[in-house]
Amino acid sequence: MTQGFNLLDTPWLPVRLGSGEVQAVGLLEAVRRCGEITALAETAPPSLVAEYRLLLAIVHRALVHSRGRWADADRLSWYRAGLPVDEVCAYLEAWRARFDVFGADHPFLQVAALREAAETRDKRKSWTQISLASANGNAPVVFDHSIDTEPVPIAPAAAVAHLLGFLQFTPGGLVKTLRDADKAGPLANTAAVLPVGATLAHTLCLNLHAAPLPGQPEDDRPAWERPPLTLGQLRGDPVLPSGPNDRYTRQTRAVLLDREADGSVKWLRFAAGWALADDPQAPDPMACFRAGSNGLVRVSFTEGRALWRDLPALVPAPQQGYQAAQVVQRAASLHQLSGQGRGRQALLVAGLASDQAKLLRWRMEQVALPEALLLEPDRALELRAHVATAETVYQQLRQTAVSLVADTLPDPKSKDTRSRARGMVESGPLAATYFAAAQSGLAAVMQHLADDEFDAAQRLWQRTLRQAANRAWQQLLVTLGSSPRAWRADARWSGLMHRWLHAHLAADELTPPASHLQEHRHGA
């Protein structure tokens, strides 16, 4: 049997240096070099977010142990001069045994009790059980065609990355071991937001949650500071999180990795975890919200929906129908203290979308917001108004497009025809073309807002939306072909659409471009 795999020393965490080189480092090295590491280099969005959350829990608890309390002024000092890495490293050394992946009594983020439990003692599953990118059980194939009965071994470092992402993003559903079903992970079906800085140290300072209040018990402990989970806890009712550290490391499923003779991982034991109860009054610090049909809903990655359509949920401003992530508010407070406000703050948005227990897609995007939009509510409200205008234009464009397509079909006035036309528009290029074209002007519009150039922002945005609508309309006409029926529908609805755009978006160009079908007809 090979030696242990301790995350403090063994290289496992992928990081990117200022030179662009990617290296794997242990946690101690990551902390010591956090001022020269530019970012984590994990490529799987769920694991990337989970690794940042792991580091945030480590730094927070290290500072609680060494200082008890700190203020935002301290956080600003660490942002400028560097984190107190000696204190963080000392904390990690104090808990060294709990970071051993194959430890006997308290393996890292695992449940040793599964080794002897009757339900799991003789029942092993493939490591793909905790891989959100792999096919397992009756889950649909996402990125691979592996089978459960003979998994390909993976390195312990890969197993840890899968485990971290899985515990945070696993959807709720059937488990059938210790409990029939289990609750979802804290970031299930969430587009998690993370302000990122020029270095790993900056990123950790931007997102670091507040110290405990005076007199408040320090009960927000990460998993490695808690006693090993018992079968009674795994069978018990869901438990509310005690705070961010608990959320960031909650063992939402019970897992125990089996190590092969060569040190690799093929099998694991698996059961229901320490279920996480929902607390509407204490949302996840990395979740942002927008209005849904029954109140606020978490922003997630909806198929075909451009992320910038939810920009109002990313900026901390008193906006009805939106709620920014707490980490964005923490970053804004740090910029407020620094007294700058003229730069840009990058926001990493990453996560995984699911439908109940079925995993649908994952995405990772980065948005660069002018700091002024984070610090000044009036500018954030202007941004919200511009995004709302884009949605209004699209709804009118979509409504007219449905009428156009219906006119190209037999019996265009019937309800069934309208329904069919609506489906054709929704599955066609209209939305993707419009919102992609509109996004091309978004960065310049946000910069105008940051520079107090509100009129310039409005003129540019109106021109951008008008051009985007025209481009989407042209693309729709191309898909309809050149039949006489399509020509007649074009003649009826194109003029109406352009007149609506002229009436609602003050135009620099008074004459809209000729449609594809009109050009074709005139040429004929």
Side-chain angles (χ1 to χ4, degrees), residues 15 24 67 72 76 104 170 179 285 294 378 385 429 507:
V15 300
R67 301 181 179 226
D72 272 350
L76 179 60
T170 182
R179 272 202 317 273
N294 294 309
D378 288 346

Side-chain angles (χ1 to χ4, degrees), residues 464-477:
T464 299
L465 294 183
R466 189 169 59 256
Q467 293 170 348
N470 280 322
R471 183 176 299 177
W473 189 263
Q474 297 297 321
Q475 190 64 39
L476 175 65
L477 294 174

Side-chain angles (χ1 to χ4, degrees), residues 273-465:
W274 194 33
L276 181 72
D278 292 326
D279 184 358
Q281 303 306 314
D284 192 280
M286 294 185 184
C288 58
F289 299 80
R290 59 179 172 84
S293 55
N294 294 309
L296 293 177
V297 296
R298 289 191 183 199
V299 172
S300 185
F301 291 118
T302 305
E303 183 179 7
R305 182 180 175 90
L307 176 66
W308 69 263
R309 296 171 67 179
D310 293 314
L311 270 178
L314 300 182
V315 292
Q319 307 174 62
Q320 184 177 3
Y322 295 100
Q323 181 176 315
Q326 294 172 20
V327 290
V328 177
Q329 299 173 17
R330 297 289 294 166
S333 68
L334 195 61
H335 288 301
Q336 188 81 53
L337 281 174
S338 70
Q340 298 175 356
R342 307 306 296 178
R344 287 180 173 266
Q345 173 60 63
L347 300 180
L348 175 71
V349 186
L352 181 146
S354 59
D355 179 10
Q356 297 181 355
K358 301 301 181 184
L359 309 180
L360 301 177
R361 67 191 67 84
W362 67 23
R363 278 165 58 188
M364 180 163 48
E365 299 188 28
Q366 188 161 300
V367 180
L369 288 178
E371 290 177 18
L373 296 181
L374 299 178
L375 301 178
E376 301 180 36
D378 288 346
R379 288 179 171 80
L381 292 174
E382 286 288 335
L383 177 62
R384 176 191 178 188
H386 288 321
V387 173
T389 299
E391 294 289 346
T392 299
V393 172
Y394 173 69
Q395 292 304 321
Q396 180 63 36
L397 177 68
R398 177 178 173 275
Q399 181 179 339
T400 311
V402 170
S403 298
L404 168 72
V405 173
D407 258 6
T408 67
L409 303 174
D411 195 11
K413 295 184 179 181
S414 76
K415 181 182 292 186
D416 289 342
T417 300
R418 293 280 301 181
S419 177
R420 181 184 172 194
R422 191 175 300 109
M424 292 172 65
V425 170
E426 291 176 352
S427 62
L430 190 78
T433 303
Y434 170 78
F435 286 108
Q439 186 175 357
S440 65
L442 186 61
V445 168
M446 291 193 295
Q447 192 58 54
H448 281 312
L449 294 177
D451 294 339
D452 293 330
E453 299 169 350
F454 297 104
D455 291 341
Q458 183 169 356
R459 288 194 301 270
L460 175 58
W461 192 233
Q462 289 179 337
R463 183 167 64 252
T464 299
L465 294 183

Side-chain angles (χ1 to χ4, degrees), residues 109-194:
L109 290 188
Q110 298 166 71
V111 181
L114 298 186
R115 190 178 291 114
E116 304 300 332
E119 296 90 341
T120 56
R121 180 172 55 226
D122 301 317
K123 184 179 180 181
R124 299 192 304 176
K125 295 193 174 188
S126 164
W127 66 263
T128 58
Q129 180 72 35
I130 60 169
S131 171
L132 294 170
S134 299
N136 63 78
N138 65 349
V141 172
V142 181
F143 295 111
D144 77 341
H145 295 271
S146 60
I147 58 175
D148 297 343
T149 54
E150 190 54 43
V152 176
I154 60 172
V160 172
H162 287 308
L163 177 63
L164 288 169
F166 179 80
L167 295 178
Q168 290 295 306
F169 284 89
T170 182
L174 295 176
V175 178
K176 295 185 176 180
T177 305
L178 301 183
R179 272 202 317 273
D180 286 339
D182 211 348
K183 302 281 284 185
L187 289 177
N189 213 25
T190 302
V193 184
L194 185 85

Side-chain angles (χ1 to χ4, degrees), residues 6 20 29 32 38 50 53 384 389 445 463 472 502 507:
N6 196 294
E29 185 177 359
R32 292 192 184 102
T38 59
R53 286 160 77 93
R384 176 191 178 188
T389 299
V445 168
R463 183 167 64 252
H502 178 68

